[in-house]
Amino acid sequence: NAGVMQNPRHLVRRRGQEARLRCSPMKGHSHVYWYRQLPEEGLKFMVYLQKENIIDESGMPKERFSAEFPKEGPSILRIQQVVRGDSAAYFCASSLSGVFQETQYFGPGTRLLVL
Amino acid sequence: AQSVTQLGSHVSVSEGALVLLRCNYSSSVPPYLFWYVQYPNQGLQLLLKYTSAATLVKGINGFEAEFKKSETSFHLTKPSAHMSDAAEYFCAVSRGFGNEKLTFGTGTRLTIIP
């Protein structure tokens, strides 16, 4: 039973380029969360999605960042016109059905480096 | 708003010694508390969680944590450290209403001395 998959594991971009991070939740999971971990900091919530819906994007920067979780395929976190401050580890987590007290399962993360 | 504070960004213990990692929380509602472990270049793995049932929670790999409301604490312990316990440990809190975002502490890196 495969866990949460994220790719790429490492991504290097130059300033101004676009970064696309993909997350495939565990089989049967329909809820996805994205978190960002800046160097020497804890994980910070960015966005919570269900299939085809954004439920909570209160942690998402207002500009350049977007997320989607289509009916088919992985969830995508997209960062346009990357800047050096976007360098971080981005983690995706998934859960089964969104019920009370459910565990979130984390992927291995994508390490983004902006040159 | 909810938050957690992890005291000590780095903790070193000798193999076989007691492990104690500290976490204090702040919450306006009864919290749901979690400990996750992160091994190098891997994702986070749930060690244990407190969801208002028992105050002493047992997790995987011999870890346990005790919820103390009077001290607003949820410290993680293990009686005898093993080399394989070397990792980064994160405490997290949520409100637990439906499926909620987690608010994490800044983490504690645990080093085991042979």
Side-chain angles (χ1 to χ4, degrees), chain A residues 19-103:
Chain A
R20 281 187 181 236
L21 288 62
R22 285 176 290 278
C23 168
S24 296
M26 288 180 70
K27 186 176 181 180
H29 285 197
S30 59
H31 298 251
V32 165
Y33 304 76
W34 286 93
Y35 294 84
R36 177 166 65 175
Q37 183 178 29
L38 293 169
E40 304 302 320
E41 294 187 20
L43 281 74
K44 297 283 198 299
F45 168 78
M46 299 181 75
V47 62
Y48 164 34
L49 310 103
Q50 294 177 24
K51 288 280 189 182
E52 301 184 278
N53 286 302
I54 296 175
I55 307 302
D56 180 355
E57 55 182 349
S58 59
M60 191 87 100
K62 297 293 182 222
E63 297 179 351
R64 301 188 297 107
F65 285 73
S66 62
E68 64 176 6
F69 188 18
K71 186 176 180 181
E72 301 291 337
S75 175
I76 305 287
L77 179 67
R78 182 183 179 203
I79 311 172
Q80 295 178 288
Q81 299 176 334
V82 296
V83 301
R84 287 203 174 131
D86 297 332
S87 295
Y90 292 82
F91 290 94
C92 166
S94 73
S95 66
L96 183 60
S97 59
V99 300
F100 191 57
Q101 301 173 13
E102 200 170 74
T103 296

Coordinates of all heavy atoms in Angstrom, one line a residue, chain A residues 19-103:
Chain A
A19 N 7.5 26.9 -10.7 CA 7.7 25.6 -10.1 C 6.4 24.9 -9.9 O 5.4 25.5 -9.5 CB 8.4 25.8 -8.7
R20 N 6.4 23.6 -10.3 CA 5.2 22.8 -10.2 C 5.5 21.6 -9.3 O 6.4 20.8 -9.7 CB 4.7 22.3 -11.5 CG 3.9 23.3 -12.3 CD 3.3 22.8 -13.5 NE 2.6 23.8 -14.2 CZ 1.3 23.8 -14.6 NH1 0.6 22.7 -14.3 NH2 0.7 24.7 -15.2
L21 N 4.8 21.4 -8.2 CA 5.0 20.4 -7.3 C 3.8 19.5 -7.3 O 2.7 20.0 -7.2 CB 5.3 20.9 -5.8 CG 6.6 21.6 -5.6 CD1 6.8 22.9 -6.4 CD2 6.7 22.0 -4.1
R22 N 4.0 18.2 -7.3 CA 2.9 17.2 -7.5 C 2.8 16.3 -6.2 O 3.8 16.0 -5.6 CB 3.1 16.4 -8.7 CG 2.8 17.1 -10.0 CD 3.1 16.2 -11.2 NE 4.5 16.0 -11.4 CZ 5.3 16.9 -12.0 NH1 4.8 18.0 -12.5 NH2 6.6 16.6 -12.2
C23 N 1.6 16.0 -5.9 CA 1.3 15.2 -4.7 C 0.3 14.2 -5.1 O -0.9 14.6 -5.5 CB 0.9 16.0 -3.6 SG 0.2 15.1 -2.2
S24 N 0.6 12.9 -4.9 CA -0.4 11.8 -5.1 C -0.8 11.3 -3.7 O 0.1 10.7 -3.0 CB 0.1 10.7 -6.0 OG 0.4 11.2 -7.3
P25 N -2.0 11.5 -3.3 CA -2.4 11.0 -1.9 C -2.4 9.5 -1.9 O -2.3 8.8 -2.9 CB -3.8 11.6 -1.7 CG -4.3 11.8 -3.1 CD -3.1 12.1 -4.0
M26 N -2.5 9.0 -0.6 CA -2.7 7.6 -0.4 C -3.9 7.1 -1.1 O -4.9 7.9 -1.3 CB -2.7 7.3 1.0 CG -1.4 7.4 1.8 SD -1.5 7.0 3.5 CE -1.7 5.3 3.5
K27 N -3.9 5.9 -1.5 CA -5.1 5.3 -2.2 C -6.3 5.5 -1.4 O -6.4 5.1 -0.2 CB -4.8 3.8 -2.5 CG -5.9 3.2 -3.4 CD -5.5 1.7 -3.7 CE -6.6 1.1 -4.6 NZ -6.3 -0.3 -4.9
G28 N -7.4 6.0 -2.1 CA -8.6 6.2 -1.4 C -8.8 7.5 -0.6 O -9.9 7.8 -0.2
H29 N -7.7 8.2 -0.5 CA -7.8 9.5 0.3 C -8.2 10.6 -0.7 O -7.7 10.7 -1.8 CB -6.4 9.9 0.8 CG -6.0 9.1 2.0 ND1 -5.0 9.4 2.9 CD2 -6.5 7.9 2.5 CE1 -4.9 8.6 3.8 NE2 -5.8 7.6 3.6
S30 N -9.1 11.4 -0.2 CA -9.7 12.5 -1.0 C -9.4 13.9 -0.4 O -10.0 14.9 -0.9 CB -11.2 12.3 -1.2 OG -11.8 12.3 0.1
H31 N -8.6 13.9 0.6 CA -8.2 15.2 1.2 C -6.7 15.4 1.2 O -6.0 14.5 1.6 CB -8.7 15.2 2.7 CG -10.2 15.1 2.8 ND1 -11.0 16.2 3.2 CD2 -11.0 14.1 2.6 CE1 -12.3 15.8 3.2 NE2 -12.3 14.5 2.8
V32 N -6.3 16.6 0.8 CA -4.9 16.9 0.7 C -4.6 18.2 1.3 O -5.4 19.2 1.2 CB -4.5 17.0 -0.8 CG1 -3.2 17.6 -1.0 CG2 -4.5 15.6 -1.4
Y33 N -3.5 18.2 2.0 CA -2.9 19.5 2.7 C -1.5 19.7 2.1 O -0.8 18.8 1.9 CB -2.8 19.3 4.2 CG -4.1 18.8 4.9 CD1 -4.6 17.5 4.8 CD2 -4.8 19.7 5.6 CE1 -5.7 17.1 5.4 CE2 -6.0 19.4 6.2 CZ -6.4 18.1 6.1 OH -7.6 17.7 6.8
W34 N -1.2 21.0 2.0 CA 0.2 21.4 1.7 C 0.7 22.2 2.8 O 0.0 23.1 3.4 CB 0.2 22.2 0.4 CG 0.0 21.4 -0.9 CD1 -1.2 21.2 -1.5 CD2 1.0 20.8 -1.6 NE1 -1.0 20.4 -2.6 CE2 0.4 20.2 -2.7 CE3 2.4 20.6 -1.5 CZ2 1.1 19.4 -3.7 CZ3 3.1 19.9 -2.5 CH2 2.4 19.3 -3.6
Y35 N 2.0 21.9 3.2 CA 2.7 22.6 4.2 C 4.1 23.0 3.6 O 4.6 22.3 2.8 CB 2.9 21.7 5.4 CG 1.7 21.3 6.2 CD1 0.9 20.2 5.8 CD2 1.3 22.0 7.3 CE1 -0.2 19.8 6.5 CE2 0.1 21.6 8.0 CZ -0.6 20.5 7.6 OH -1.7 20.2 8.3
R36 N 4.6 24.1 4.2 CA 5.9 24.6 3.8 C 6.8 24.6 5.0 O 6.4 25.1 6.1 CB 5.8 26.0 3.1 CG 7.2 26.5 2.7 CD 7.0 27.7 1.8 NE 6.4 28.9 2.4 CZ 6.2 30.1 1.8 NH1 6.7 30.2 0.6 NH2 5.7 31.1 2.4
Q37 N 8.1 24.2 4.8 CA 9.0 24.2 5.9 C 10.2 25.0 5.4 O 11.0 24.6 4.6 CB 9.5 22.8 6.3 CG 10.4 22.7 7.4 CD 10.8 21.3 7.8 OE1 10.8 20.4 7.0 NE2 11.1 21.1 9.1
L38 N 10.3 26.2 6.0 CA 11.5 27.1 5.7 C 12.6 26.6 6.5 O 12.5 26.0 7.6 CB 11.1 28.5 6.0 CG 10.1 29.2 5.1 CD1 9.6 30.5 5.6 CD2 10.6 29.3 3.7
P39 N 13.9 26.9 6.1 CA 15.1 26.4 6.9 C 15.0 26.8 8.3 O 14.6 28.0 8.7 CB 16.2 27.2 6.2 CG 15.7 27.4 4.8 CD 14.2 27.6 4.9
E40 N 15.2 25.9 9.2 CA 15.3 26.1 10.7 C 13.9 26.5 11.2 O 13.8 27.0 12.3 CB 16.3 27.2 11.0 CG 17.7 26.9 10.5 CD 18.3 25.6 11.0 OE1 18.1 25.2 12.2 OE2 18.9 24.9 10.2
E41 N 12.9 26.2 10.5 CA 11.5 26.5 11.0 C 10.6 25.2 11.0 O 11.0 24.2 10.3 CB 10.8 27.6 10.2 CG 11.5 28.9 10.4 CD 10.7 30.0 9.7 OE1 9.5 29.8 9.4 OE2 11.3 31.1 9.4
G42 N 9.5 25.3 11.7 CA 8.6 24.2 11.6 C 7.7 24.3 10.4 O 7.9 25.2 9.6
L43 N 6.9 23.3 10.2 CA 6.0 23.3 9.0 C 4.9 24.3 9.2 O 4.3 24.4 10.3 CB 5.4 21.9 8.8 CG 6.3 20.9 8.2 CD1 7.3 20.3 9.1 CD2 5.4 19.7 7.6
K44 N 4.6 25.0 8.1 CA 3.5 26.0 8.1 C 2.4 25.6 7.1 O 2.7 25.3 6.0 CB 4.0 27.4 7.8 CG 5.0 28.0 8.8 CD 4.4 28.5 10.0 CE 5.2 29.4 10.8 NZ 6.5 28.8 11.3
F45 N 1.2 25.6 7.6 CA 0.1 25.2 6.7 C -0.1 26.2 5.6 O 0.1 27.4 5.8 CB -1.2 25.2 7.6 CG -2.5 25.1 6.8 CD1 -2.9 23.9 6.2 CD2 -3.2 26.3 6.5 CE1 -4.1 23.8 5.5 CE2 -4.4 26.2 5.8 CZ -4.8 25.0 5.3
M46 N -0.4 25.7 4.4 CA -0.6 26.5 3.3 C -2.1 26.4 2.8 O -2.8 27.4 2.8 CB 0.3 26.2 2.1 CG 1.8 26.3 2.4 SD 2.8 25.9 1.0 CE 2.6 27.4 0.0
V47 N -2.5 25.2 2.4 CA -3.8 25.0 1.8 C -4.3 23.6 2.0 O -3.6 22.7 2.2 CB -3.7 25.4 0.3 CG1 -2.8 24.4 -0.4 CG2 -5.0 25.4 -0.4
Y48 N -5.7 23.6 2.1 CA -6.4 22.3 2.3 C -7.4 22.1 1.1 O -8.2 23.0 0.9 CB -7.1 22.3 3.6 CG -8.1 21.3 3.9 CD1 -8.0 20.0 3.4 CD2 -9.2 21.6 4.7 CE1 -9.0 19.0 3.6 CE2 -10.2 20.6 5.0 CZ -10.1 19.4 4.5 OH -11.1 18.4 4.7
L49 N -7.3 21.0 0.5 CA -8.1 20.8 -0.7 C -8.8 19.4 -0.6 O -8.3 18.5 -0.1 CB -7.3 20.8 -2.0 CG -6.3 21.9 -2.3 CD1 -4.9 21.5 -2.0 CD2 -6.5 22.4 -3.7
Q50 N -10.0 19.4 -1.1 CA -10.7 18.1 -1.4 C -10.8 18.1 -3.0 O -10.4 19.0 -3.7 CB -12.1 18.1 -0.8 CG -12.1 18.1 0.7 CD -13.5 18.1 1.2 OE1 -14.5 17.7 0.6 NE2 -13.6 18.5 2.5
K51 N -11.2 17.0 -3.5 CA -11.3 16.8 -4.9 C -12.1 18.0 -5.5 O -13.2 18.2 -5.2 CB -12.0 15.5 -5.3 CG -11.2 14.3 -5.0 CD -10.2 14.0 -6.1 CE -9.5 12.6 -5.9 NZ -8.5 12.4 -7.0
E52 N -11.4 18.7 -6.4 CA -12.0 19.8 -7.2 C -12.4 21.0 -6.3 O -13.1 21.9 -6.8 CB -13.2 19.3 -8.0 CG -12.8 18.2 -9.0 CD -14.0 17.8 -9.8 OE1 -14.9 17.0 -9.3 OE2 -14.1 18.3 -10.9
N53 N -12.1 21.0 -5.0 CA -12.4 22.2 -4.2 C -11.3 22.6 -3.3 O -10.6 21.8 -2.7 CB -13.6 21.8 -3.3 CG -14.9 21.7 -4.0 OD1 -15.3 22.7 -4.6 ND2 -15.5 20.5 -4.0
I54 N -11.1 23.9 -3.1 CA -10.2 24.5 -2.1 C -11.1 24.7 -0.9 O -12.0 25.5 -0.9 CB -9.6 25.7 -2.6 CG1 -8.7 25.4 -3.8 CG2 -8.7 26.4 -1.5 CD1 -8.0 26.6 -4.5
I55 N -10.7 24.1 0.3 CA -11.5 24.2 1.5 C -10.9 25.4 2.3 O -11.7 26.1 2.9 CB -11.5 22.9 2.3 CG1 -11.9 21.8 1.4 CG2 -12.3 23.1 3.5 CD1 -13.3 22.0 0.8
D56 N -9.6 25.5 2.4 CA -9.0 26.5 3.3 C -7.7 26.9 2.7 O -6.8 26.0 2.6 CB -8.8 25.9 4.7 CG -8.1 26.9 5.7 OD1 -7.7 28.0 5.3 OD2 -8.0 26.5 6.9
E57 N -7.5 28.1 2.3 CA -6.3 28.6 1.7 C -5.7 29.7 2.5 O -5.0 30.6 2.0 CB -6.4 29.0 0.2 CG -7.5 30.0 0.0 CD -7.7 30.3 -1.5 OE1 -6.8 29.9 -2.3 OE2 -8.7 31.0 -1.8
S58 N -6.0 29.7 3.8 CA -5.6 30.8 4.7 C -4.1 31.0 4.8 O -3.6 32.0 5.2 CB -6.3 30.7 6.0 OG -5.9 29.4 6.7
G59 N -3.4 29.9 4.6 CA -1.9 30.0 4.7 C -1.2 30.2 3.4 O 0.1 30.2 3.4
M60 N -1.9 30.4 2.3 CA -1.3 30.5 1.0 C -1.0 32.0 0.8 O -1.8 32.9 1.0 CB -2.3 30.0 0.0 CG -1.7 29.9 -1.4 SD -0.9 28.3 -1.6 CE -2.2 27.5 -2.5
P61 N 0.2 32.3 0.3 CA 0.5 33.7 -0.1 C -0.5 34.1 -1.2 O -0.9 33.3 -2.0 CB 2.0 33.6 -0.6 CG 2.6 32.4 0.1 CD 1.4 31.4 0.2
K62 N -0.8 35.4 -1.1 CA -1.9 35.9 -2.0 C -1.5 35.9 -3.5 O -2.3 35.8 -4.4 CB -2.3 37.3 -1.6 CG -2.9 37.4 -0.2 CD -4.2 36.7 -0.1 CE -4.8 36.8 1.3 NZ -5.4 35.6 1.8
E63 N -0.2 36.1 -3.7 CA 0.3 36.2 -5.1 C 1.2 35.1 -5.4 O 1.9 34.5 -4.6 CB 1.0 37.6 -5.3 CG 0.1 38.7 -5.1 CD 0.8 40.1 -5.2 OE1 2.0 40.1 -5.4 OE2 0.1 41.1 -5.3
R64 N 1.2 34.7 -6.6 CA 2.2 33.7 -7.3 C 1.9 32.3 -6.9 O 2.4 31.4 -7.6 CB 3.6 34.1 -6.9 CG 4.1 35.5 -7.3 CD 5.6 35.7 -7.1 NE 6.0 35.6 -5.7 CZ 6.6 34.5 -5.2 NH1 7.0 33.5 -6.0 NH2 7.0 34.5 -3.9
F65 N 1.2 32.0 -5.8 CA 0.9 30.6 -5.4 C -0.5 30.2 -5.8 O -1.4 31.0 -5.6 CB 1.1 30.5 -3.9 CG 2.6 30.5 -3.5 CD1 3.3 31.7 -3.5 CD2 3.2 29.3 -3.0 CE1 4.6 31.7 -3.1 CE2 4.5 29.3 -2.6 CZ 5.2 30.5 -2.6
S66 N -0.6 29.0 -6.2 CA -2.0 28.4 -6.5 C -1.9 26.9 -6.3 O -0.8 26.3 -6.4 CB -2.5 28.7 -7.9 OG -1.6 28.2 -8.9
A67 N -3.0 26.3 -6.0 CA -3.1 24.9 -5.8 C -4.4 24.3 -6.4 O -5.4 25.0 -6.4 CB -3.0 24.6 -4.3
E68 N -4.3 23.1 -6.8 CA -5.5 22.4 -7.3 C -5.4 20.9 -7.0 O -4.3 20.4 -6.8 CB -5.6 22.6 -8.8 CG -4.5 22.0 -9.6 CD -4.7 22.2 -11.1 OE1 -5.6 22.8 -11.5 OE2 -3.9 21.6 -11.9
F69 N -6.6 20.3 -7.0 CA -6.7 18.9 -6.8 C -7.8 18.4 -7.7 O -9.0 18.4 -7.3 CB -7.0 18.6 -5.3 CG -6.9 17.1 -4.9 CD1 -6.3 16.2 -5.7 CD2 -7.5 16.7 -3.7 CE1 -6.2 14.9 -5.3 CE2 -7.5 15.4 -3.3 CZ -6.8 14.5 -4.1
P70 N -7.5 18.1 -8.9 CA -8.5 17.7 -9.9 C -9.2 16.4 -9.6 O -8.7 15.6 -8.8 CB -7.8 17.7 -11.2 CG -6.3 17.4 -10.8 CD -6.1 18.0 -9.5
K71 N -10.3 16.2 -10.3 CA -11.0 14.9 -10.1 C -10.1 13.7 -10.4 O -10.2 12.7 -9.7 CB -12.2 14.9 -11.0 CG -13.2 13.7 -10.8 CD -14.4 13.9 -11.7 CE -15.3 12.7 -11.5 NZ -16.5 12.8 -12.4
E72 N -9.3 13.9 -11.4 CA -8.4 12.8 -11.8 C -6.9 13.4 -11.7 O -6.7 14.5 -12.1 CB -8.6 12.3 -13.2 CG -10.0 11.7 -13.4 CD -10.3 10.4 -12.7 OE1 -9.3 9.8 -12.4 OE2 -11.4 10.1 -12.4
G73 N -6.0 12.6 -11.2 CA -4.6 13.0 -11.1 C -4.2 13.6 -9.8 O -5.0 13.7 -8.9
P74 N -2.9 14.0 -9.7 CA -2.4 14.4 -8.4 C -2.8 15.9 -8.1 O -3.3 16.6 -9.0 CB -0.9 14.4 -8.7 CG -0.7 14.6 -10.1 CD -1.9 13.9 -10.8
S75 N -2.6 16.2 -6.9 CA -2.7 17.6 -6.5 C -1.4 18.4 -7.0 O -0.3 17.8 -6.9 CB -2.8 17.7 -5.0 OG -2.9 19.1 -4.6
I76 N -1.6 19.6 -7.4 CA -0.5 20.4 -7.9 C -0.4 21.7 -7.1 O -1.4 22.4 -6.9 CB -0.7 20.8 -9.4 CG1 -1.0 19.6 -10.3 CG2 0.5 21.6 -9.9 CD1 0.2 18.7 -10.5
L77 N 0.8 22.0 -6.6 CA 1.1 23.3 -6.0 C 2.0 24.0 -7.0 O 3.0 23.5 -7.4 CB 1.8 23.1 -4.7 CG 2.2 24.4 -4.0 CD1 0.9 25.2 -3.5 CD2 3.1 24.2 -2.8
R78 N 1.5 25.2 -7.4 CA 2.2 25.9 -8.5 C 2.7 27.2 -7.9 O 1.9 28.0 -7.3 CB 1.2 26.2 -9.6 CG 1.8 26.9 -10.8 CD 0.6 27.1 -11.8 NE 1.1 27.8 -13.0 CZ 0.3 28.5 -13.8 NH1 -1.0 28.6 -13.5 NH2 0.8 29.1 -14.9
I79 N 4.0 27.5 -8.2 CA 4.6 28.8 -7.8 C 5.1 29.5 -9.0 O 6.0 29.0 -9.7 CB 5.7 28.6 -6.8 CG1 5.3 27.6 -5.6 CG2 6.1 29.9 -6.2 CD1 6.5 27.2 -4.8
Q80 N 4.5 30.6 -9.3 CA 4.9 31.4 -10.5 C 6.0 32.4 -10.1 O 6.0 32.9 -9.0 CB 3.7 32.1 -11.1 CG 2.6 31.2 -11.6 CD 1.4 31.9 -12.2 OE1 0.7 32.5 -11.4 NE2 1.3 32.0 -13.5
Q81 N 6.9 32.7 -11.0 CA 7.9 33.7 -10.9 C 8.6 33.5 -9.5 O 8.6 34.5 -8.7 CB 7.3 35.1 -11.0 CG 6.6 35.3 -12.3 CD 5.9 36.7 -12.4 OE1 5.5 37.2 -11.4 NE2 5.8 37.2 -13.6
V82 N 9.2 32.4 -9.3 CA 9.8 32.1 -8.0 C 10.9 33.1 -7.6 O 11.6 33.7 -8.5 CB 10.4 30.7 -8.0 CG1 9.3 29.6 -8.2 CG2 11.5 30.5 -9.0
V83 N 11.0 33.3 -6.3 CA 12.0 34.2 -5.7 C 12.8 33.3 -4.7 O 12.4 32.2 -4.4 CB 11.4 35.4 -5.0 CG1 10.6 36.2 -6.0 CG2 10.5 35.0 -3.9
R84 N 14.0 33.9 -4.3 CA 14.8 33.1 -3.5 C 14.1 32.7 -2.2 O 14.4 31.7 -1.6 CB 16.1 33.9 -3.2 CG 17.0 33.9 -4.4 CD 18.5 34.2 -4.0 NE 19.3 34.1 -5.2 CZ 20.2 34.9 -5.5 NH1 20.4 36.0 -4.8 NH2 21.0 34.8 -6.6
G85 N 13.2 33.6 -1.7 CA 12.5 33.3 -0.4 C 11.6 32.1 -0.5 O 11.1 31.6 0.5
D86 N 11.3 31.6 -1.8 CA 10.5 30.4 -1.9 C 11.3 29.1 -1.7 O 10.6 28.1 -1.6 CB 9.9 30.4 -3.3 CG 9.0 31.6 -3.6 OD1 8.4 32.1 -2.7 OD2 8.9 32.0 -4.8
S87 N 12.6 29.2 -1.5 CA 13.4 28.0 -1.3 C 12.9 27.4 0.1 O 13.0 28.1 1.1 CB 14.9 28.4 -1.2 OG 15.3 28.8 -2.5
A88 N 12.5 26.2 0.0 CA 12.0 25.5 1.2 C 11.7 24.1 0.8 O 11.8 23.7 -0.3 CB 10.7 26.2 1.6
A89 N 11.2 23.3 1.9 CA 10.7 22.0 1.6 C 9.2 22.1 1.7 O 8.6 22.7 2.6 CB 11.2 21.0 2.7
Y90 N 8.6 21.5 0.7 CA 7.1 21.6 0.6 C 6.6 20.1 0.8 O 7.0 19.2 0.1 CB 6.7 22.1 -0.8 CG 7.0 23.6 -0.9 CD1 8.3 23.9 -1.3 CD2 6.1 24.5 -0.7 CE1 8.6 25.3 -1.5 CE2 6.4 25.9 -0.8 CZ 7.7 26.3 -1.2 OH 8.0 27.6 -1.3
F91 N 5.7 20.0 1.8 CA 5.2 18.7 2.2 C 3.7 18.6 1.9 O 3.0 19.6 2.1 CB 5.4 18.4 3.7 CG 6.9 18.2 4.0 CD1 7.6 19.2 4.5 CD2 7.4 16.9 3.9 CE1 9.0 19.0 4.8 CE2 8.8 16.7 4.2 CZ 9.5 17.7 4.7
C92 N 3.3 17.5 1.4 CA 1.9 17.2 1.2 C 1.5 16.1 2.2 O 2.3 15.3 2.5 CB 1.8 16.7 -0.3 SG 0.2 15.9 -0.7
A93 N 0.3 16.3 2.7 CA -0.3 15.2 3.5 C -1.7 14.9 3.0 O -2.3 15.7 2.4 CB -0.4 15.7 5.0
S94 N -2.1 13.7 3.3 CA -3.5 13.3 2.8 C -4.2 12.6 4.0 O -3.6 12.1 4.9 CB -3.5 12.4 1.6 OG -3.0 11.1 1.9
S95 N -5.5 12.7 3.9 CA -6.4 11.9 4.9 C -7.5 11.3 4.1 O -7.9 11.8 3.0 CB -6.8 12.8 6.0 OG -7.7 13.8 5.6
L96 N -8.2 10.4 4.8 CA -9.2 9.6 4.1 C -10.4 10.3 3.7 O -10.8 10.4 2.6 CB -9.5 8.4 5.0 CG -10.5 7.3 4.4 CD1 -9.9 6.7 3.1 CD2 -10.7 6.2 5.4
S97 N -11.1 10.9 4.7 CA -12.4 11.4 4.4 C -12.8 12.7 5.2 O -13.9 13.2 5.1 CB -13.5 10.3 4.8 OG -13.4 10.0 6.2
G98 N -11.9 13.2 5.9 CA -12.1 14.5 6.6 C -12.9 14.4 7.8 O -13.4 15.4 8.3
V99 N -13.1 13.2 8.4 CA -13.9 13.1 9.6 C -13.0 13.5 10.8 O -11.8 13.6 10.8 CB -14.4 11.7 9.8 CG1 -15.4 11.4 8.7 CG2 -13.4 10.7 10.0
F100 N -13.7 13.7 11.9 CA -13.1 14.1 13.2 C -11.9 13.3 13.6 O -11.9 12.1 13.6 CB -14.2 14.0 14.2 CG -14.0 14.6 15.5 CD1 -13.7 16.0 15.6 CD2 -14.0 13.9 16.7 CE1 -13.5 16.6 16.9 CE2 -13.8 14.4 17.9 CZ -13.6 15.8 18.0
Q101 N -10.8 14.0 14.0 CA -9.6 13.4 14.6 C -8.9 12.5 13.6 O -8.1 11.6 14.1 CB -10.0 12.6 15.8 CG -10.7 13.4 16.9 CD -11.2 12.5 18.0 OE1 -10.8 11.3 18.1 NE2 -12.0 13.0 18.9
E102 N -9.1 12.6 12.4 CA -8.4 11.7 11.4 C -6.9 12.1 11.3 O -6.6 13.2 11.3 CB -9.1 11.7 10.1 CG -8.8 10.5 9.2 CD -9.8 10.6 8.0 OE1 -9.5 11.4 7.1 OE2 -10.7 9.8 8.0
T103 N -6.1 11.1 11.1 CA -4.7 11.3 10.9 C -4.3 11.8 9.5 O -4.9 11.3 8.5 CB -3.9 9.9 11.2 OG1 -4.2 9.6 12.6 CG2 -2.4 10.1 11.0

